Amino acid sequence: GHVVRNWKVRWFVLLQDKLLYYKIEGGKKESSPKGRILLDGCTIICPCLEYENRPLLIKLKTKTNTDYFLECCSREERDSWALDITGAIHAGHPVQVQELHRMKNSFKLLDNISLHDIVERMYDSNTGIKLTRNLDQGNRYKETFTGSALVDWLISNSFAVSRFEAVTLASMLMDENFIRPVGTRSTEATRFSDPSEKFLDDSTALYMFAENSKKNTSSKEEVQFNISELSGTIVKQGFLVKQGHKRKNWKVRKFVLRADPAFLHYYDPTKEENKPVGGFSLRGCLVSALEDNGVPAGVKGNVQGNLFKIITKNDIHYYIQASSKAERVQWIEAIKPLT
């Protein structure tokens, strides 16, 4: 409410240029609307985390700077309403509507992302993620947060655009031992090898900070690189998932493809310094896509789909997973001319 700041159930109807809301009497909506929100010039914020105990909010700000807070019944309903309202706001701009639908399932993490920065922000007492007590199958857990709460927080703090991106980021935080699963649902999900299935965007999946998350450092020896191989022109860069050579586990790495000289380097996004943790010359390499049906030879774990392989002239095999078939094709086409 605008006068008395209480919350009331209203029946909403979305039209092309406005959002109407009706009072409910006797289980039915009244014939005339109680009010309307003109969508021209509106901005929408979703998820909106201004109310700590109301995680399912959409915030609409009109061009006259009037704020409307709308609470939905579920995360799925909230996201569906937000997408449709956003589409109505930009109805006169079909290109923007197409871009919004593309962003809903996008996968393009920020190039300069730092997991250390994300964790520091998560710990912030004012703007960080809210920690609560939760009960899971008779066990009580203190200072936890749900999977969907973390996804909402990552999006609202502009670390990710889509829920798919946020889940990928959360998986990275878990892989690097910044956060850990607690309770049955989230713990069972870690058995999956596919990174997109390890972390659950779910309000019943519980997570908490790992005990050493604030002092998480790597004990691996730094790999030394020649300055010349890092001086080439950057042709392409982005996040991909790579299989390790020793433990055969899968981790998200930022890949940078350079020409003159032709090298492919990969970086650990959990490290603050901008130094690669691996890389190799592309001269004499072979690059090819792997079949999407079944787990190809050389690949460990239940990882399949959008995979490609690079074999160096020294016969070292690199197995890499893209987020989509289109992205896999783009990387292969960018690498091939440099081999």
Side-chain angles (χ1 to χ4, degrees):
H2 287 292
V3 181
V4 180
R5 296 289 182 174
N6 55 355
W7 296 82
K8 292 183 178 179
V9 175
R10 293 289 182 255
W11 181 270
F12 279 81
V13 176
L14 176 62
L15 303 180
Q16 186 173 4
D17 60 345
K18 65 178 74 74
L19 190 61
L20 304 178
Y21 53 95
Y22 299 76
K23 288 182 68 174
I24 304 279
E25 292 291 343
K28 296 182 179 180
K29 73 178 181 71
E30 294 184 344
S31 57
S32 299
K34 172 74 174 176
R36 64 178 183 171
I37 304 171
L38 298 178
L39 298 177
D40 180 42
C42 261
T43 57
I44 182 170
I45 299 173
C46 178
C48 172
L49 305 182
E50 291 189 26
Y51 287 84
E52 182 178 339
N53 62 337
R54 295 182 182 272
L56 301 176
L57 287 183
I58 297 171
K59 179 180 179 180
L60 286 175
K61 181 183 282 291
T62 68
K63 65 180 180 181
T64 58
N65 289 324
T66 302
D67 291 341
Y68 290 88
F69 293 93
L70 317 177
E71 183 175 35
C72 300
C73 298
S74 68
R75 195 266 294 167
E76 291 77 14
E77 185 184 49
R78 179 199 66 187
D79 292 348
S80 176
W81 271 99
L83 188 66
D84 290 338
I85 292 171
T86 306
I89 291 173
H90 300 287
H93 308 278
V95 174
Q96 283 184 280
V97 175
Q98 291 177 3
E99 179 67 10
L100 289 166
H101 283 276
R102 185 195 65 78
M103 287 172 61
K104 182 185 177 185
N105 298 306
S106 71
F107 184 84
K108 185 175 173 56
L109 296 176
L110 298 174
D111 290 333
N112 59 345
I113 205 158
S114 165
L115 296 190
H116 285 278
D117 292 343
I118 294 176
V119 173
E120 284 189 13
R121 290 275 297 276
M122 287 175 68
Y123 270 107
D124 189 284
S125 57
N126 296 317
T127 60
I129 192 162
K130 303 304 177 184
L131 304 178
T132 59
R133 294 186 179 188
N134 283 284
L135 184 68
D136 182 85
Q137 294 193 0
N139 296 315
R140 293 184 181 276
Y141 298 99
K142 297 180 180 179
E143 297 187 330
T144 60
F145 47 87
T146 66
S148 56
L150 178 54
V151 170
D152 283 349
W153 185 88
L154 289 168
I155 294 173
S156 67
N157 284 272
S158 302
F159 289 116
V161 173
S162 69
R163 302 195 77 82
F164 183 52
E165 286 181 6
V167 167
T168 303
L169 263 183
S171 298
M172 292 163 63
L173 290 169
M174 194 164 59
D175 281 342
E176 301 300 337
N177 202 31
F178 287 107
I179 65 174
R180 65 182 181 89
V182 291
T184 306
R185 285 216 65 202
S186 54
T187 303
E188 288 182 349
T190 60
R191 298 174 184 173
F192 290 100
S193 298
D194 191 329
S196 65
E197 296 177 339
K198 282 185 177 181
F199 182 88
L200 299 178
D201 178 8
D202 193 292
S203 60
T204 64
L206 302 180
Y207 300 87
M208 66 189 306
F209 288 113
E211 291 181 3
N212 62 338
S213 59
K214 271 202 168 182
K215 54 185 179 181
N216 185 290
T217 57
S218 175
S219 60
K220 298 176 183 176
E221 295 182 5
E222 289 189 9
V223 181
Q224 299 298 318
F225 293 92
N226 192 309
I227 295 176
S228 64
E229 67 184 71
L230 296 171
S231 63
T233 304
I234 295 178
V235 176
K236 185 175 177 61
Q237 58 183 318
F239 287 90
L240 297 165
V241 185
K242 173 186 166 295
Q243 179 176 270
H245 288 294
K246 294 181 180 179
R247 296 179 59 190
K248 304 299 182 183
N249 55 349
W250 292 81
K251 290 189 176 182
V252 176
R253 292 289 181 252
K254 177 187 174 183
F255 280 79
V256 177
L257 177 63
R258 292 181 172 91
D260 300 321
F263 275 84
L264 183 62
H265 294 99
Y266 49 95
Y267 297 73
D268 185 344
T270 68
K271 292 187 175 182
E272 294 178 343
E273 66 272 14
N274 192 30
K275 295 180 180 178
V277 294
F280 51 91
S281 170
L282 291 173
R283 295 303 178 194
C285 283
L286 296 174
V287 58
S288 60
L290 298 179
E291 293 292 334
D292 286 340
N293 52 341
V295 180
V299 173
K300 301 297 182 181
N302 188 28
V303 177
Q304 51 188 297
N306 310 321
L307 291 166
F308 63 99
K309 177 172 66 174
I310 302 175
I311 305 175
T312 69
K313 63 180 179 181
N314 297 325
D315 200 33
I316 299 174
H317 294 224
Y318 289 86
Y319 296 95
I320 302 170
Q321 184 181 41
S323 63
S324 65
K325 289 183 179 179
E327 187 184 45
R328 176 175 64 180
V329 169
Q330 292 170 8
W331 274 99
I332 292 175
E333 290 182 347
I335 292 170
K336 274 187 175 179
L338 303 177
T339 60

